[in-house]
Amino acid sequence: MSATVKHLSAFQRDILYVVSDLETSYGLGIKEALEEYYGEDVNTGRVYQNLSTLVEEGYLEKSAIDKRTNSYTLTEKSLQAIEQRHRWQQTRADGQLAG
């Protein structure tokens, strides 16, 4: 069975997309990128709770930058899942745009 993101919340999927776009993905940087995308404040606790869930489910790897800061990187599972999601969305959009 291939990895998917269909069971993740939209917020969790957005975190994966943000992590894929940032050069160095750390908690507050991810939070700032989400706030820029949403155009509003994002609760810090919500970000870290969802980062932990994504690590536990194998979508992100966490490593220490220093004693207080962790970085997050996409795993092979998340890369495959994002690619599958992209193909699914593209197929739906192509169908709507062709009609």
Side-chain angles (χ1 to χ4, degrees):
M1 184 170 115
S2 63
T4 68
V5 293
K6 61 186 172 188
H7 71 283
L8 299 178
S9 69
F11 187 74
Q12 290 169 332
R13 288 192 303 265
D14 290 344
I15 288 173
L16 294 180
Y17 285 112
V18 164
V19 169
S20 73
D21 193 44
L22 292 174
E23 189 171 315
T24 303
S25 300
Y26 61 98
L28 291 178
I30 294 166
K31 178 185 183 292
E32 289 169 3
L34 290 166
E35 288 175 339
E36 183 178 323
Y37 173 67
Y38 291 135
E40 61 186 47
D41 287 340
V42 174
N43 181 284
T44 304
R46 181 178 182 208
V47 173
Y48 284 104
Q49 179 182 17
N50 282 281
L51 285 169
S52 292
T53 298
L54 291 167
V55 168
E56 289 170 14
E57 292 188 12
Y59 289 95
L60 294 175
E61 288 182 358
K62 179 171 84 169
S63 57
I65 294 176
D66 58 37
K67 291 182 180 182
R68 294 182 47 164
T69 309
N70 294 309
S71 68
Y72 298 89
T73 55
L74 299 178
T75 62
E76 186 62 32
K77 177 180 179 176
S78 62
L79 292 170
Q80 291 174 5
I82 289 169
E83 177 62 29
Q84 181 182 2
R85 176 71 174 200
H86 177 73
R87 285 192 308 270
W88 180 82
Q89 288 176 308
Q90 190 65 46
T91 300
R92 283 358 168 243
D94 289 347
Q96 289 296 312
L97 297 174

